[in-house]
Amino acid sequence: MLRLLIPTGSGYTWIEHAPPSPFPDEFLWADLFEPTAEEEKAVESLLTVDVPTRDEMKEIETSNRLYEEGGAVYMTATVGSKLDSETPESNAITFILANGRLITNRYVDPTPVRRFMSHVVRSPAACTSSATLLAGLLEAFVERIADLLEKVQLELDAVSLTIFPRTEGAAASNRDLHAMIHKIGANGDLISKARDSLVSFQRLLTYVQQATNVTLSKDQSSRFKSTLRDVQSLSDHAGFLGSKVSFLLDAVLGLINLEQNNIIKIFSVAATMFLPPTLIASIYGMNFHFMPELDKHWGYPVALLAMVISAVLPYAYFRRKGWL
């Protein structure tokens, strides 16, 4: 899909463009979302740029992600998508500044892009130039990461309060601890994706301010610097949350080990208690001549029933205690 942001009498609006139809002269932003080969070629031909392929966008070398070519500035960043789902992902989006226009090439549809695309329609002041659009789009991504880290911190605080309750007798059960491992791991994965994006945006923001083919106004330069400071602050906070994840994970594993050690101690005490009777029974073998059950017809089935009950009762007790 190829969508273009064009001005109207009172603001801006989005239109879908289908090559080989001619492009409108006044469009400011060309958004390539899972583009076809024809759409890529049409944009490349009009703006004399080389839109990176999906495989090229996956390159992690800085020289392949941030560069100038033919008067255009190419910047590829790693962004998170599906962060509210059970399968969060990290993908690449390329931003191109060429001929006074912004081009975005993406194969994912993250929330910040959708929100900002709706925002520019309602706020014409966000569309004064391609650099202003890029600044607003990057700010939307950073705000999304900030919201994500805030959510992760609240969940980690809840886990911490469960692991280390302020009142006695409110310790988490063994099953709760196993569930916490999954929650801590999921939050750790989100933090990892957030830090990856923040590092990518930090490089991009530093580069765009130094690019020779980009002329920034004082206001635009101030916005990029402010966003860069936010990214650096969020990177530090993400590092703190990563340390907290490691601490909580170690704490949960420690509590599970303590719980298992207590269970093993109970089994050891029980085995020790029954050791003397077992020793006496093994010596004499219960082979006495006068045993009332030996000449009874119900003796054998009652013995079998007693064995079954002696196995079921401890199993039910252990299950109730959460030891199994």
Side-chain angles (χ1 to χ4, degrees):
M1 179 188 299
L2 171 57
R3 291 191 289 180
L4 304 175
L5 182 67
I6 62 172
T8 61
S10 58
Y12 289 83
T13 187
W14 287 99
I15 63 169
E16 291 190 13
H17 181 74
S21 301
F23 283 85
D25 296 333
E26 64 276 14
F27 78 89
L28 188 60
W29 181 0
D31 178 57
L32 292 163
F33 176 50
E34 297 184 350
T36 63
E38 292 77 11
E39 292 170 343
E40 284 189 8
K41 291 179 180 179
V43 173
E44 291 175 343
S45 176
L46 176 68
L47 302 177
T48 61
V49 296
D50 183 15
V51 177
T53 64
R54 191 169 191 174
D55 291 334
E56 291 173 344
M57 293 167 61
K58 294 179 180 178
E59 298 289 341
I60 62 174
E61 295 89 348
T62 304
S63 59
N64 292 331
R65 288 196 155 210
L66 306 170
Y67 59 93
E68 298 181 57
E69 184 178 271
V73 180
Y74 298 80
M75 297 163 287
T76 301
T78 301
V79 301
S81 60
K82 301 179 181 179
L83 299 179
D84 294 326
S85 67
E86 296 182 356
T87 56
E89 301 175 354
S90 290
N91 296 278
I93 294 181
T94 297
F95 309 92
I96 305 174
L97 295 177
N99 300 325
R101 296 181 172 96
L102 171 65
I103 305 168
T104 51
N105 185 31
R106 57 193 179 94
Y107 293 87
V108 291
D109 193 25
T111 301
V113 174
R114 296 195 305 269
R115 290 180 177 176
F116 186 71
M117 292 178 73
S118 300
H119 171 71
V120 296
V121 175
R122 303 188 304 267
S123 302
C127 312
T128 55
S129 68
S130 58
T132 303
L133 284 172
L134 178 61
L137 190 54
L138 295 178
E139 288 170 354
F141 276 111
V142 173
E143 289 175 2
R144 174 62 171 167
I145 295 175
D147 293 339
L148 173 67
L149 294 180
E150 182 179 356
K151 175 184 175 184
V152 169
Q153 182 173 4
L154 292 175
E155 291 189 1
L156 292 180
D157 288 342
V159 171
S160 178
L161 189 60
T162 305
I163 298 175
F164 307 107
R166 303 301 175 90
T167 58
E168 297 183 0
S173 66
N174 199 24
R175 295 180 182 178
D176 292 336
L177 294 175
H178 282 81
M180 287 179 194
I181 291 180
H182 293 282
K183 182 177 289 188
I184 294 172
N187 284 307
D189 182 53
L190 289 177
I191 294 172
S192 175
K193 287 179 169 53
R195 295 182 71 176
D196 191 16
S197 296
L198 290 170
V199 170
S200 180
F201 284 131
Q202 185 172 356
R203 293 175 179 173
L204 189 153
L205 287 164
T206 302
Y207 182 80
V208 72
Q209 297 179 71
Q210 300 172 352
T212 58
N213 290 322
V214 178
T215 302
L216 301 177
S217 65
K218 185 177 181 180
D219 178 67
Q220 292 167 349
S221 179
S222 177
R223 290 181 65 180
F224 282 124
K225 290 180 180 178
S226 177
T227 305
L228 179 58
R229 288 193 296 268
D230 291 340
V231 167
Q232 293 170 343
S233 176
L234 289 174
S235 296
D236 294 339
H237 188 56
F240 162 73
L241 292 178
S243 301
K244 189 170 185 177
V245 164
S246 299
F247 168 73
L248 292 178
L249 186 60
D250 291 340
V252 171
L253 293 177
L255 291 177
I256 291 176
N257 288 333
L258 289 175
E259 187 76 15
Q260 291 175 343
N261 290 337
N262 289 333
I263 294 172
I264 293 174
K265 181 175 67 174
I266 293 173
F267 288 160
S268 300
V269 171
T272 304
M273 290 175 57
F274 288 103
L275 184 60
T278 304
L279 176 62
I280 297 173
S282 62
I283 293 175
Y284 289 96
M286 302 301 290
N287 295 319
F288 298 101
H289 181 70
F290 296 102
M291 295 182 68
E293 296 85 0
L294 293 178
D295 58 350
K296 303 295 182 180
H297 293 288
W298 46 262
Y300 181 68
V302 168
L304 293 179
L305 180 61
M307 286 187 284
V308 172
I309 293 176
S310 65
V312 171
L313 288 180
Y315 176 79
Y317 179 76
F318 296 155
R319 288 284 294 183
R320 184 177 179 181
K321 287 289 187 178
W323 297 344
L324 297 177

